[in-house]
Amino acid sequence: MLYQILRRFFQKLVRKNMPTEHGIQVNIHLSTLDLVALGVGRTVGIGVYVLAGEVASSQAGPSIVICFLVAGLTSVLAGLCYAEISARTQVPHSGSAYLYSFVTIGELWAFLSGWNLILSFVADTAIVACAWTLVFANLFGNQIAQTLNENISPHVPQVLAEYLGFIVVGLMLLLIELQTLPFDTFFLVAKVITLVKLLVLGFFIISGFIKGDLQNWKLTEDDYVKAGLNDTSSLGPLGSGGFVPFGFEGILRGTATCFYAFIGFSIVLTTVKKEQNSQCSIPMGIMISLFICFVLYFGVSSALTLMVPYYQLQRGSTLPEAFFLIGWAPAYYVVAFGFFCSLSASLLSFMFPIRRLIHMMAKDGLLFPVLARVRTGSYSRIMASVIFSIIAANMAFFLELTDLVDLRSLESLLAYSLVALCVLILRYQQSGGNEPMVQEESGLAAEMLTLQGLLFPGSSSPTPLSGRVVRVCSSLLALLLILLCLMLAQWPILLSGDPVWISVVVLLLVLITGLTGVIWRQPQSSSSLHFKVPALPLVPLLSIFMNVYLMMQMTAATWARFGVWMLIGFAIYFSYGIQHSLVY
């Protein structure tokens, strides 16, 4: 009796579904160029204007260019997985990690993917609000913060006045109405804004190389002493000088932060309705937009660290402030204008998807039905927007900008890992991979798993048994990769030659290699796709490894905040979603 109850319970957790079209759609035709503009407009934004100075000043120094390179390569691996899964006919409409997980690995993972995507959009909203107040504070010489501090601090805690919390909340509530605009209205505006900020960043790159000095990449202790910053034998918070002043650990931590700058390309999938040529244009749009973003980030970070010694950059300083340090005050306002354009484009590009995602999850029965009524009446139409904008306002009110960025990056790394896992599983399934589970169980009953059949399958096309083998091996590989990353995160102990740690790492590598070989021996689907991830199963596994390793670089506080959000999600799913899901 207990076995039957547990069996039915776990079947509910992994039940799959092909989500139907839900209401909100993009009814305009988007070419590949439009998709590139959409991806670049969403991706190039706060990450380059705020994080460049933040990472260079305290985490990586001039080696920030390496941070952007590694973060870009990680995003390319994730982009390849997104590109293949968008080309599949199993998902015949626009989607996201939520839809792909629902089709591939079941309802529980789909809910977690969707719940984390909601967190990403909420965090994006809070990040934009914080960045806007940061720009206002810099433009007016921090007079706003000083005024609040003088007039409010006698009545409220100091931290609330110092971080312009009231302005943040007011700004967030005013931005709610923008979420009700039709997509085609602000998409045209977003393309114009994207062009403007690309021109501004081009101006910054050219200016940086004109005013740059290669000596800023080769700073020594004598340079710090001459600048009056150091009169001791230790550089302390200034690092050790040179191109990598904060060492390998600084590059890892900086890469985890810089990853935020690349996480906007998935907007191409979450807002675009499938057209006749979308299975070809979406992969091209993703890869081209990622390449453009990498070139821009590499150019901006190089120009910034060549133009200004990294120790002159302050935490919280924005990209335009570099021109004050070199005496080009008029150029400050030109780049600040591009900053405002970036914030506006980011706002326009992510406020629409959150409304659509919540609508889909509520229609599938995983969230409360009141959140699905977004098209009937002026009040219920923005119900979800109001609720989650208030959550975003509170996050912006109490958290630092870098805290929000790390939280956003952690969510995206998890979502990208799930998508890579979906690609790995789908490639080895039968073409009718969405057939009812009854057929799969009957097929498994007709096959017997043997060691010879595991390594030398008798069929050249996927079978129910081979598909089950790949799913089990993929799940085990994901667990082993997490353990490996936990071990590698303690790389100083490994370098010290501790035999226990080295033995554990070697054992994990042997197991990972063996399971990878088992998956490699299974027959792949012969379905014709416009784009396929090359070198399967290595590329999806490498993507998962890099994503998880960057997740290990996050602080304990970031993991604690993420854990609270996940606990809320589990409470909603197990108290409501699992009982009201429309999947049977």
Side-chain angles (χ1 to χ4, degrees):
M1 182 66 180
L2 179 60
Y3 170 77
Q4 294 296 331
I5 294 175
L6 292 176
R7 186 172 183 271
R8 286 195 298 268
F9 176 74
F10 284 109
Q11 283 180 342
K12 288 182 178 180
L13 298 183
V14 298
R15 54 190 174 185
K16 303 180 181 67
N17 185 32
M18 174 56 66
T20 56
E21 291 286 354
H22 294 318
I24 308 174
Q25 292 295 334
V26 179
N27 295 318
I28 59 175
H29 174 73
L30 299 177
S31 64
T32 301
L33 182 60
D34 292 328
L35 296 181
V36 171
L38 186 67
V40 173
R42 174 63 182 88
T43 305
V44 177
I46 300 172
V48 68
Y49 281 95
V50 177
L51 294 185
E54 182 83 20
V55 174
S57 64
S58 60
Q59 294 181 2
S63 62
I64 184 178
V65 296
I66 299 179
C67 297
F68 275 121
L69 175 61
V70 177
L73 291 176
T74 305
S75 298
V76 167
L77 293 175
L80 290 172
C81 296
Y82 267 92
E84 172 173 330
I85 211 162
S86 69
R88 288 188 170 273
T89 57
Q90 285 97 326
V91 186
H93 56 283
S94 60
S96 61
Y98 166 70
L99 298 179
Y100 305 145
S101 300
F102 219 150
V103 171
T104 309
I105 53 181
E107 181 180 282
L108 175 61
W109 290 106
F111 175 83
L112 295 180
S113 298
W115 186 245
N116 285 327
L117 284 173
I118 292 174
L119 171 63
S120 71
F121 293 126
V122 170
D124 276 333
T125 308
I127 289 170
V128 169
C130 288
W132 244 330
T133 55
L134 180 63
V135 173
F136 284 135
N138 290 333
L139 284 176
F140 294 100
N142 291 319
Q143 294 180 7
I144 298 177
Q146 293 175 5
T147 301
L148 288 176
N149 185 53
E150 294 173 358
N151 295 290
I152 301 179
S153 57
H155 309 288
V156 299
Q158 177 79 11
V159 66
L160 302 185
E162 182 178 353
Y163 292 108
L164 308 176
F166 293 101
I167 294 180
V168 172
V169 174
L171 179 62
M172 286 307 312
L173 296 179
L174 288 175
L175 294 177
I176 291 176
E177 186 60 27
L178 286 177
Q179 301 182 55
T180 64
L181 293 176
F183 181 81
D184 54 350
T185 299
F186 60 68
F187 178 62
L188 179 60
V189 178
K191 287 198 294 185
V192 175
I193 292 176
T194 299
L195 177 61
V196 171
K197 66 180 180 181
L198 290 181
L199 293 176
V200 171
L201 288 177
F203 168 76
F204 182 90
I205 294 172
I206 295 174
S207 301
F209 283 113
I210 292 176
K211 292 289 292 183
D213 184 358
L214 195 59
Q215 179 62 29
N216 289 331
W217 281 11
K218 300 181 291 184
L219 296 173
T220 63
E221 185 176 348
D222 293 337
D223 296 305
Y224 299 114
V225 173
K226 292 178 182 178
L229 296 174
N230 186 62
D231 56 359
T232 67
S233 59
S234 175
L235 294 177
L238 298 177
S240 58
F243 184 74
V244 189
F246 300 98
F248 181 66
E249 185 175 357
I251 293 178
L252 291 177
R253 184 68 186 91
T255 301
T257 303
C258 288
F259 184 80
Y260 172 79
F262 289 94
I263 60 179
F265 70 86
S266 59
I267 193 71
V268 174
L269 297 167
T270 56
T271 59
V272 179
K273 182 180 179 180
K274 291 281 185 179
E275 304 289 348
Q276 291 183 352
N277 64 339
S278 63
Q279 292 179 345
C280 180
S281 60
I282 289 179
M284 290 182 61
I286 290 175
M287 302 313 298
I288 294 175
S289 61
L290 278 176
F291 176 76
I292 293 175
C293 292
F294 167 72
V295 172
L296 286 173
Y297 291 151
F298 191 87
V300 168
S301 59
S302 299
L304 176 65
T305 51
L306 286 172
M307 185 167 50
V308 180
Y310 75 91
Y311 59 77
Q312 292 186 8
L313 300 171
Q314 302 297 320
R315 296 196 64 181
S317 62
T318 57
L319 195 63
E321 295 178 56
F323 286 105
F324 274 143
L325 298 176
I326 64 172
W328 283 19
Y332 169 85
Y333 296 99
V334 174
V335 181
F337 175 73
F339 195 178
F340 278 113
C341 291
S342 292
L343 294 177
S344 302
S346 298
L347 180 68
L348 293 176
S349 60
F350 66 69
M351 280 193 165
F352 183 85
I354 184 174
R355 187 158 53 100
R356 186 174 187 277
L357 175 62
I358 294 171
H359 177 82
M360 287 190 296
M361 294 183 67
K363 279 294 186 181
D364 288 330
L366 301 182
L367 290 179
F368 305 112
V370 66
L371 300 177
R373 293 182 297 174
V374 296
R375 306 194 75 178
T376 57
S378 59
Y379 176 75
S380 59
R381 182 187 182 200
I382 61 171
M383 176 63 71
S385 301
V386 171
I387 293 174
F388 288 98
S389 292
I390 292 175
I391 296 175
N394 281 277
M395 292 174 63
F397 196 79
F398 291 106
L399 298 180
E400 295 269 7
L401 179 61
T402 51
D403 296 332
L404 292 169
V405 167
D406 286 343
L407 187 62
R408 176 67 169 93
S409 298
L410 180 59
E411 177 281 325
S412 295
L413 289 167
L414 178 60
Y416 291 172
S417 299
L418 287 175
V419 170
L421 186 63
C422 292
V423 168
L424 186 60
I425 293 175
L426 276 176
R427 184 75 76 84
Y428 293 93
Q429 303 303 310
Q430 291 176 303
S431 299
N434 295 319
E435 296 292 331
M437 293 296 296
V438 176
Q439 295 184 12
E440 179 176 331
E441 292 179 357
S442 63
L444 286 171
E447 295 183 85
M448 293 294 293
L449 181 62
T450 63
L451 181 60
Q452 181 178 359
L454 194 65
L455 299 178
F456 302 97
S459 175
S460 60
S461 59
T463 64
L465 179 61
S466 68
R468 176 66 63 87
V469 168
V470 170
R471 285 197 295 271
V472 172
C473 290
S474 299
S475 301
L476 292 176
L477 277 171
L479 177 61
L480 291 175
L481 287 173
I482 292 174
L483 295 176
L484 178 62
C485 290
L486 284 172
M487 300 295 295
L488 294 180
Q490 308 299 323
W491 58 271
I493 300 179
L494 293 174
L495 293 180
S496 67
D498 189 300
V500 176
W501 284 72
I502 294 178
S503 299
V504 173
V505 170
V506 171
L507 177 61
L508 289 174
L509 290 174
V510 170
L511 293 175
I512 290 172
T513 303
L515 290 174
T516 302
V518 170
I519 294 179
W520 174 65
R521 293 298 301 166
Q522 304 308 307
Q524 294 188 26
S525 173
S526 58
S527 299
S528 178
L529 298 176
H530 291 281
F531 179 85
K532 287 186 177 182
V533 173
L536 223 71
L538 295 181
V539 169
L541 291 176
L542 182 59
S543 177
I544 294 174
F545 170 75
M546 296 187 69
N547 292 337
V548 174
Y549 192 71
L550 290 181
M551 291 168 67
M552 298 302 170
Q553 309 305 315
M554 300 299 178
T555 63
T558 300
W559 279 102
R561 298 183 188 103
F562 182 74
V564 170
W565 180 263
M566 293 301 297
L567 287 176
I568 296 173
F570 280 124
I572 293 175
Y573 178 74
F574 287 108
S575 64
Y576 178 85
I578 195 173
Q579 303 175 23
H580 295 83
S581 173
L582 299 182
V583 183
Y584 299 101

